[in-house]
Amino acid sequence: MLCSFTTHLFPLKTTKNRFISLKPYIRTMSTMKAVLINEQGGIDKMVYKDIPRPQVEKNSVIVKNHVVGVNYIDTYQRSGLYKVPTPFILGKEGAGEVAEIGSDVTQFKVGDRVVYLGASTYAEYTNVPENAVEKLADNISYEEGASIGIQGLTAWTMIRDGYPVKKGDVILVHAAAGGVGLLLCQMLHHLGATVIGTVSTDEKAELARKNGADHVIVSTKEDTVARVNEITGGLGCHAVLDGVGKATFEASLACARRLGTLISFGNASGAVPPIAITCLTAKNLKLMRPQLFNYLITREESKKWWGELFDLLDRKVINLHVHKIYDLVDAKQAHFDIESRKTTGKLLIKI
């Protein structure tokens, strides 16, 4: 397994020389703890073990992770909903300090406190391209940095670009007490929108209200479409933000108003099945399925979105809600908890 994983990290030119070429790496490379996926599937496929520490490249930095985020995308990649070549290390975001820099790196130095999006974050060390890293201000903790990345950027890009929210808009947020949902409620309230949130329990309803939701629908006890029509006088919502997926897609279509927008950005209940595009015709709806990383391709884009997010945090427009912090060895429990859909806010792993 060591050879298989190492060749995945360090592709070699020929199969013939593979095992000979690996010898210097195995002799000189230190190891680290990580959570590895050798085969996609259930939570039981998560393996906590020692593996070789990554080597820096000329345009990358090695980050010593302090805190990493847990996101639904981690469960999609683990389960096989999103196909990923194996073996791989789980995780898409982290915060820590720069331990080593590549020869062509100019924007960072060893010891810098940073946050990043990328891959292979459920580990003590991660090799990250320089253009995927941002510096953390001294007043932002590692916990805050790891909490705000994927979920904060997903929420903010969605309501500034996916559907540019205006004051007075009526917006429906599914899973309003989740990590993205709570941030959306706060951001939308800041922008002057009327926020309708759906949740599964009365406890989650109270949390959504405290974070800016004007109306909350407990979907396990109420009819979402009927309640939205009641709240909006039958007009529906200017935009519906749906991170739940399969279970809510039809209701989301029904809740959008004429000329409205539906943004489907997650698969918490499963992937949305193939649709007939004519389902948009009756109300001239716009449908979007965004991918966060397409907003962060260039250095300029990354600095823009991260900068705006840090500003929201600095001005106390958003407050972060951490559900629980796990040890790396307990990453399986983090996946069990997030997939149960009984959590609120952000799940983190402390390295």
Side-chain angles (χ1 to χ4, degrees):
M1 183 60 238
L2 176 62
C3 291
S4 173
F5 182 77
T6 310
T7 54
H8 180 69
L9 283 180
F10 306 105
L12 303 173
K13 291 182 179 180
T14 64
T15 303
K16 179 179 179 181
N17 295 325
R18 176 169 295 175
F19 296 103
I20 296 174
S21 299
L22 277 175
K23 288 180 180 179
Y25 286 119
I26 295 173
R27 284 199 306 268
T28 63
M29 193 186 308
S30 60
T31 62
M32 66 176 183
K33 297 292 186 183
V35 177
L36 190 68
I37 299 295
N38 293 312
E39 178 185 359
Q40 289 179 296
I43 292 173
D44 61 304
K45 301 299 183 182
M46 299 168 65
V47 180
Y48 175 75
K49 63 180 297 185
D50 288 305
I51 62 170
R53 174 177 162 174
Q55 300 297 294
V56 73
E57 299 166 5
K58 65 178 183 178
N59 292 310
S60 75
V61 302
I62 300 296
V63 177
K64 177 177 173 29
N65 293 314
H66 286 252
V67 184
V68 302
V70 178
N71 297 283
Y72 272 108
I73 191 172
D74 304 342
T75 70
Y76 305 157
Q77 292 190 338
R78 185 214 73 226
S79 69
L81 179 62
Y82 291 177
K83 300 300 180 184
V84 181
T86 56
F88 66 93
I89 301 170
L90 281 166
K92 301 293 286 183
E93 65 180 340
E97 60 184 299
V98 175
E100 189 177 355
I101 63 172
S103 58
D104 291 350
V105 171
T106 60
Q107 300 178 73
F108 301 96
K109 65 182 185 301
V110 172
D112 279 346
R113 301 173 69 253
V114 295
V115 65
Y116 67 93
L117 303 185
S120 305
T121 67
Y122 287 23
E124 292 179 295
Y125 294 89
T126 301
N127 182 33
V128 190
E130 180 183 21
N131 63 5
V133 182
E134 295 291 339
K135 290 182 180 179
L136 271 181
D138 290 339
N139 64 330
I140 300 177
S141 69
Y142 290 127
E143 288 80 6
E144 290 172 320
S147 295
I148 203 173
I150 285 181
Q151 292 181 345
L153 290 169
T154 293
W156 190 240
T157 55
M158 196 169 3
I159 61 177
R160 302 319 292 143
D161 181 85
Y163 174 79
V165 172
K166 304 177 296 297
K167 185 176 181 179
D169 283 347
V170 181
I171 311 295
L172 176 62
V173 178
H174 285 299
V180 176
L182 289 175
L183 290 170
L184 281 171
C185 288
Q186 296 176 59
M187 292 170 177
L188 290 167
H189 178 78
H190 168 68
L191 295 173
T194 296
V195 184
I196 305 173
T198 69
V199 297
S200 58
T201 68
D202 291 331
E203 292 75 18
K204 288 185 176 183
E206 182 60 25
L207 183 59
R209 289 189 188 96
K210 288 180 178 179
N211 282 269
D214 299 286
H215 308 274
V216 183
I217 301 167
V218 181
S219 58
T220 52
K221 300 192 295 185
E222 303 175 89
D223 184 303
T224 298
V225 177
R227 284 286 287 122
V228 166
N229 283 330
E230 178 185 334
I231 294 164
T232 63
L235 293 175
C237 300
H238 293 87
V240 178
L241 311 178
D242 188 347
V244 177
K246 181 179 180 180
T248 52
F249 186 77
E250 292 298 328
S252 294
L253 285 173
C255 289
R257 68 172 56 192
R258 182 180 64 87
L259 306 181
T261 297
L262 167 55
I263 302 180
S264 178
F265 66 93
N267 312 287
S269 67
V272 176
I275 64 167
I277 198 168
T278 51
C279 70
L280 308 175
T281 303
K283 292 186 284 188
N284 285 10
L285 298 181
K286 303 175 186 69
L287 174 63
M288 183 182 188
R289 182 55 168 92
Q291 183 192 62
L292 172 60
F293 293 93
N294 279 327
Y295 284 110
L296 307 170
I297 297 299
T298 69
R299 187 65 183 153
E300 293 72 24
E301 290 171 333
S302 179
K303 291 184 75 66
K304 163 188 161 58
W305 291 114
W306 274 108
E308 292 181 12
L309 195 60
F310 287 148
D311 180 63
L312 293 174
L313 187 62
D314 188 55
R315 292 191 290 125
K316 309 298 183 185
V317 170
I318 54 176
N319 295 298
L320 304 177
H321 177 84
V322 175
H323 176 80
K324 186 175 180 179
I325 301 177
Y326 304 78
D327 291 328
L328 184 60
V329 69
D330 297 321
K332 285 184 178 181
Q333 185 63 47
H335 275 229
F336 177 84
D337 290 347
I338 196 172
E339 288 187 311
S340 74
R341 298 184 62 193
K342 295 179 180 178
T343 63
T344 58
K346 186 69 178 182
L347 280 63
L348 298 174
I349 293 174
K350 189 173 184 178
I351 308 296

